[in-house]
Amino acid sequence: MQTLRRARAATSVIFAVHGAVTGTFAARVPWIADHAGIGAGGLGLALLMPGVGALLAMPLSGRLAHRYDLRALTRTLILLWCAALMLPSLPTTIYLLCPLLALYGAAAGLADVAMNAQAVVIEERYGRSVMSSFHGFWSVGGLAGSAVAALAARAGLDARVHFLIAAGALAVLSVAASAWLLPHRPEPEVDAPPAFALPSRTVLPIGLVALCAVFAEGAGLDWSAVYIRDVLGGAASTAALTVSVFSISMAVARFAGDRVIHRLGPVSTVRLAAVCACVGAVTVVLGGQVPIVALGFGLLGVGIAVVVPLVFATAGRIGDHPGRSLAGVAGIAYGSGLVAPGIIGGIAHLSSLTVSFVLVVALTAVMGLSARVLRPAAAPAPH
């Protein structure tokens, strides 16, 4: 049991490292844009590239998880992800920035699938839900990375120096933690999945739930500050605080999520979460006042927090190739995150940002109505 507890702690560290790299990059995007000499339009194009890179790389994950020991694979890919943090700080033109951001996204996607596969193995050994807490540590890592990056930016530190220091420190932490990860290989009689495996038909309905949750998450993260500032006329500081309310709500809910899942089961948990998220999105649309809308964003964060961990846990139990199933769901989730900002912005351009969030209301409702696909498979009858 001590080995399992150590593996859980180590996997929590790996998730936090992954989140810290993401948060570090996100907070220094303005510096990266200035360094590459690009405006808002060019930056919008460049920021699509990490999602594109992840989508192209993730179908390879199933074969990698089949071929290599999961502990070694997770260690290698999280180190690759740490090293990839350096890439966005190097280019001085958009023509170099875009391909390097695609490579950055590919490293993110591959590491994401490997660490979630490790989390699925640990959850199976525990015999109860622990996946939500891992994603809670990802959120904490993201908040920590962005906070340190904000301090570095305030001090005027060159992002190349900042990223080098951050990547080195996070890599050392990853190497230390990965020694406690669980070794795991698929059964030898299981045939290898295709080298480039698209989501299977079984995974697609589960991916729909992920799509709804990640779209709502992207809308909250990318547009909450804009909503407070532009729609309600709130101060810039209040707008920034709303993003923090949303992110912290997600983190807190994820740490509480495993207990809720253990008590209610995955289907009822997602239905309850969808009600919370839907109420939050409706509050955003109808609130009309800054404190009420900020509360709405907090409820939206609480509602979607446990859904993605549950989706990954469910996908990891499907078929002979959990790595392929995880990659399929992760690809759909990344794709949703990729298109969400553009769709929200497009609707806002044609109508208003308030109307855009009516779509979030609809998707959170669909998330709840689709929750039954997360029902655990019945155990085979004894002979």
Side-chain angles (χ1 to χ4, degrees):
M1 193 62 185
Q2 186 178 15
T3 300
L4 189 57
R5 283 196 294 267
R6 284 179 174 176
R8 182 178 179 181
T11 305
S12 299
V13 171
I14 298 297
F15 270 77
V17 166
H18 195 287
V21 173
T22 305
T24 300
F25 163 74
R28 299 307 303 263
V29 164
W31 186 98
I32 293 167
D34 291 343
H35 187 63
I38 57 177
L43 181 61
L45 174 63
L47 291 179
L48 288 175
M49 293 300 109
V52 171
L55 285 173
L56 292 175
M58 279 177 167
L60 304 171
S61 301
R63 176 64 70 89
L64 290 174
H66 181 85
R67 183 170 182 178
Y68 298 104
D69 171 67
L70 189 55
R71 176 169 60 187
L73 181 65
T74 304
R75 178 174 57 237
T76 300
L77 292 177
I78 197 67
L79 288 175
L80 181 66
W81 173 227
C82 291
L85 178 59
M86 286 299 303
L87 297 178
S89 68
L90 302 177
T92 54
T93 70
I94 191 171
Y95 304 106
L96 289 174
L97 181 61
C98 284
L100 288 181
L101 281 177
L103 290 174
Y104 167 88
L110 292 172
D112 193 305
V113 173
M115 71 187 191
N116 274 285
Q118 176 74 207
V120 167
V121 172
I122 291 170
E123 185 169 90
E124 287 176 349
R125 303 276 179 92
Y126 264 92
R128 58 182 171 85
S129 176
V130 294
M131 180 68 83
S132 187
S133 67
F134 291 134
H135 286 255
F137 277 102
W138 189 96
S139 298
V140 168
L143 289 168
S146 60
V148 172
L151 292 175
R154 186 178 180 85
L157 185 64
D158 189 300
R160 289 167 293 189
V161 176
H162 170 210
F163 284 4
L164 180 62
I165 295 170
L170 292 171
V172 169
L173 191 59
S174 300
V175 169
S178 61
W180 286 351
L181 296 176
L182 294 179
H184 179 76
R185 280 184 178 275
E187 297 298 327
E189 65 270 13
V190 175
D191 294 331
F196 190 85
L198 295 175
S200 66
R201 227 179 294 179
T202 312
V203 165
L204 286 175
I206 300 171
L208 172 65
V209 179
L211 182 151
C212 295
V214 174
F215 191 102
E217 180 179 353
L221 280 175
D222 294 331
W223 290 98
S224 55
V226 178
Y227 197 102
I228 293 293
R229 187 191 64 195
D230 293 357
V231 177
L232 302 178
S237 57
T238 306
L241 181 62
T242 304
V243 180
S244 299
V245 168
F246 179 81
S247 300
I248 292 170
S249 297
M250 284 192 67
V252 171
R254 282 176 167 171
F255 282 115
D258 288 320
R259 293 181 182 177
V260 177
I261 295 163
H262 178 69
R263 178 168 297 220
L264 301 181
V267 176
S268 296
T269 298
V270 171
R271 286 173 177 162
L272 179 63
V275 170
C276 180
C278 198
V279 168
V282 169
T283 302
V284 169
V285 171
L286 301 179
Q289 296 181 6
V290 170
I292 295 173
V293 172
L295 174 62
F297 278 113
L299 289 173
L300 179 63
V302 169
I304 61 179
V306 299
V307 178
V308 170
L310 266 173
V311 163
F312 275 99
T314 304
R317 295 190 292 265
I318 292 176
D320 295 328
H321 300 293
R324 176 184 179 181
S325 300
L326 282 168
V329 165
I332 295 170
Y334 268 70
S336 178
L338 183 65
V339 302
I343 291 176
I344 292 290
I347 296 174
H349 178 73
L350 294 172
S351 180
S352 70
L353 196 52
T354 301
V355 173
S356 298
F357 272 85
V358 174
L359 177 59
V360 178
V361 173
L363 288 175
T364 52
V366 170
M367 185 175 77
L369 294 172
S370 305
R372 64 184 180 278
V373 302
L374 302 180
R375 183 172 287 113
H383 293 289

